[in-house]
Amino acid sequence: MKKVATLFEAAGLADTAPRPLADRLRPASLDEVIGQDHLLGEQGILSRMVKAGRLSSVIFWGPPGTGKTTVARLLAEVTDLHFEQLSAIHSGVSDLRKMFDAARARREEGRGTLLFVDEIHRFNRAQQDAFLPHMEDGTIILIGATTENPSFELNSALLSRASVLTFKRLDEAAIEEILARADAREGRKLPLTDDAREALINMADGDGRGAINLAEEVFLAAASGARTPIDREALIGLVQRRAPLYDKSQDGHYNLISAMHKSVRGSDPDAALYYLARMLVGGEDPLYIARRLVRMAVEDIGLADPQALVQANAAKDAYDFLGTPEGELALAQATIYMATAPKSNAAYVAFGAARRAAEESGSLLPPKHILNAPTRLMKQEGYGSGYAYDHKEEEAFSGQNYFPDGMARQSFYAPTSRGFEREIKERLDRWADLRAKRPKRS
């Protein structure tokens, strides 16, 4: 213990220890909050609520370390509301009931309650419903905080009673401002080279609290005798670069695969590779990515380049065979191939239209002339009568009708003029011309 105390004294932290630097730098007023001007600026919705003296229930949605808890606490102070905080991870129905009872008693004494619920998406549907009557009668002002998309994670009834306010990931300028405050608070600048300071900002990954914690590690390392200024390589070894924010089962998962898919669709191989790397670095299952590559091949490239599907399946097999890290190169190759391939969603659109027609047309039988007649009765019923064997026709094309009797001929597939579909289009146009010129066949 003495050794730890000496370390804090050398770092200049003894007078305030054991309070972490993040706690000592916590904003004391809404004006000191960094990076959320769209909410707290002069025209921000929270600023307008405070000026009007009418704070309503809201959901704070945003990544970690962007100030959600701090802003909630400061709103309670500036509106003279009693501040209560619960974590949905550690709280249950009994905790909610006690809190509601206390808030009701407090209200009878003339003071309102601001209830801040962290990780509110962790509450189940029934627990979320428990808030509703107390929000409606004014017993509480609810501020829920979540890192997950409220549209997917919260009840529609709760969302109808609370506005969703988005907290933005802190940009580099905001993180730099936070580090400048840390410098001022410690009375000295972070002992980092310019490259290392830039690397620390990148390591923070938009998380203000994370940036402060990294800075505190640097201050302590310098106090313990580390060579200063600390360069980029030494910094990485000191703080152990944190993995990028990525939750394989939540929003990060869907956001990045969506970004990769749209980059491929938009023919941007560089952006597609970037998102592929982001997912792999974040620990995504490479075979999940391989499956999505197969989908991209059939949805966005299709017959404009039939080899895209071959590439996607080959990449899946190669990864399955080689594993990490060698197999990841096969995924990268397939990603580049598809991002640079000609694009067509004609097959995707055609199948969707055909599916709708199938659902709407019921159980119409195919025309009898294209049905087999393995029995005498079926022959007597006209099955197979009049069928034209296409290989015996000119250009191996009979032009006969294949749609059910009573159903007009449909046109679902409209190939583009890109890639291999250009040839397909020429064939279809030629067959349409032949069909129009030949006598109508049943």
Side-chain angles (χ1 to χ4, degrees):
M1 291 298 293
K2 183 178 289 185
K3 186 174 183 180
V4 174
T6 303
L7 181 60
F8 273 95
E9 288 171 3
L13 305 177
D15 60 329
T16 56
R19 287 179 62 206
L21 183 60
D23 186 51
R24 288 179 282 130
L25 287 177
R26 194 180 301 278
S29 69
L30 290 171
D31 293 338
E32 294 181 8
V33 175
I34 295 174
Q36 308 302 334
D37 291 347
H38 62 296
L39 300 177
L40 297 168
E42 187 174 346
Q43 298 302 316
I45 184 171
L46 291 177
S47 297
R48 296 199 303 271
M49 285 185 185
V50 170
K51 288 177 183 177
R54 293 181 61 84
L55 190 63
S56 60
S57 293
V58 292
I59 302 297
F60 288 170
W61 174 30
T66 51
K68 298 186 292 295
T69 304
T70 295
V71 170
R73 188 180 297 276
L74 293 173
L75 285 172
E77 291 180 9
V78 77
T79 55
D80 195 30
L81 293 170
H82 177 80
F83 183 78
E84 285 282 348
Q85 180 173 353
L86 290 176
S87 170
I89 298 175
H90 304 115
S91 304
V93 174
S94 62
D95 300 298
L96 290 176
R97 188 177 297 114
K98 292 177 183 177
M99 195 284 309
F100 293 143
D101 290 342
R104 189 176 299 108
R106 200 176 296 117
R107 187 185 180 203
E108 291 174 356
E109 296 174 357
R111 192 177 187 199
T113 299
L114 187 154
L115 172 61
F116 177 72
V117 181
D118 198 17
E119 303 287 341
I120 192 170
H121 62 277
R122 302 275 189 174
F123 277 140
N124 62 36
R125 301 288 173 172
Q127 289 170 319
Q128 290 177 30
D129 284 341
F131 292 103
L132 304 182
H134 307 288
M135 295 166 64
E136 290 176 344
D137 67 13
T139 300
I140 62 167
I141 299 295
L142 174 68
I143 295 184
T146 178
T147 56
E148 303 305 325
N149 191 325
S151 301
F152 302 141
E153 303 295 336
L154 300 183
N155 280 357
S156 57
L158 182 59
L159 289 176
S160 71
R161 292 164 175 81
S163 302
V164 175
L165 304 183
T166 303
F167 275 62
K168 295 180 179 179
R169 177 184 182 276
L170 301 186
D171 59 20
E172 292 183 5
I175 298 294
E176 176 56 50
E177 187 174 348
I178 289 173
L179 295 183
R181 290 186 184 182
D183 294 340
R185 178 64 182 80
E186 295 303 308
R188 55 193 168 123
K189 194 168 184 179
L190 271 170
L192 296 171
T193 65
D194 290 343
D195 285 348
R197 191 177 181 97
E198 182 179 346
L200 187 146
I201 291 173
N202 290 333
M203 288 178 190
D205 198 26
D207 182 335
R209 182 175 54 247
I212 297 171
N213 291 341
L214 290 171
E216 187 166 34
E217 289 184 54
V218 172
F219 279 128
L220 290 171
S224 65
R227 178 181 295 180
T228 59
I230 298 171
D231 62 21
R232 186 178 185 279
E233 288 70 24
L235 173 69
I236 293 172
L238 173 67
V239 301
Q240 296 299 311
R241 185 185 183 101
R242 301 188 307 162
L245 179 64
Y246 183 70
D247 187 334
K248 291 185 287 181
S249 64
Q250 302 294 338
D251 264 7
H253 167 84
Y254 297 110
N255 288 342
L256 292 188
I257 195 63
S258 175
M260 178 184 172
H261 192 150
K262 290 180 174 64
S263 298
V264 167
R265 181 183 296 156
S267 301
D268 189 333
D270 299 311
L273 282 175
Y274 168 74
Y275 291 116
L276 170 65
R278 279 277 301 274
M279 286 186 286
L280 291 174
V281 168
E284 181 58 81
D285 178 5
L287 289 178
Y288 167 77
I289 298 174
R291 288 193 294 273
R292 288 299 295 249
L293 286 170
V294 171
R295 176 182 170 180
M296 296 174 206
V298 296
E299 180 178 338
D300 294 295
I301 298 168
L303 292 171
D305 185 351
Q307 285 298 311
L309 181 57
V310 176
Q311 283 279 336
N313 276 308
K316 182 264 295 180
D317 290 342
Y319 180 83
D320 216 15
F321 183 58
L322 294 174
T324 297
E326 292 87 352
E328 293 174 2
L329 184 58
L331 301 179
Q333 176 177 309
T335 298
I336 294 170
Y337 186 96
M338 287 192 287
T340 56
K343 304 298 187 297
S344 171
N345 71 341
Y348 177 79
V349 171
F351 182 67
R355 191 182 187 95
R356 287 191 296 274
E359 292 169 349
E360 294 168 2
S361 62
S363 53
L364 295 174
L365 285 175
K368 288 183 178 180
H369 65 271
I370 64 170
L371 299 180
N372 289 331
T375 69
R376 180 180 300 176
L377 175 62
M378 294 172 76
K379 289 179 181 178
Q380 292 174 349
E381 289 294 319
Y383 283 42
S385 176
Y387 172 65
Y389 186 58
D390 286 85
H391 292 290
K392 291 184 177 180
E393 301 291 327
E394 183 181 352
E395 297 193 39
F397 180 77
S398 66
Q400 61 197 321
N401 177 54
Y402 296 98
F403 280 92
D405 292 335
M407 181 178 181
R409 178 174 178 78
Q410 305 290 308
S411 179
F412 302 126
Y413 178 52
T416 69
S417 297
R418 296 183 292 275
F420 182 68
E421 277 196 324
R422 184 185 299 109
E423 295 183 33
I424 296 176
K425 188 174 187 304
E426 290 174 358
R427 293 178 203 164
L428 290 177
D429 289 344
R430 173 61 178 164
W431 290 332
D433 185 55
L434 289 173
R435 186 181 292 111
K437 290 179 180 177
R438 289 184 180 179
K440 189 173 181 179
R441 309 173 87 155
S442 60

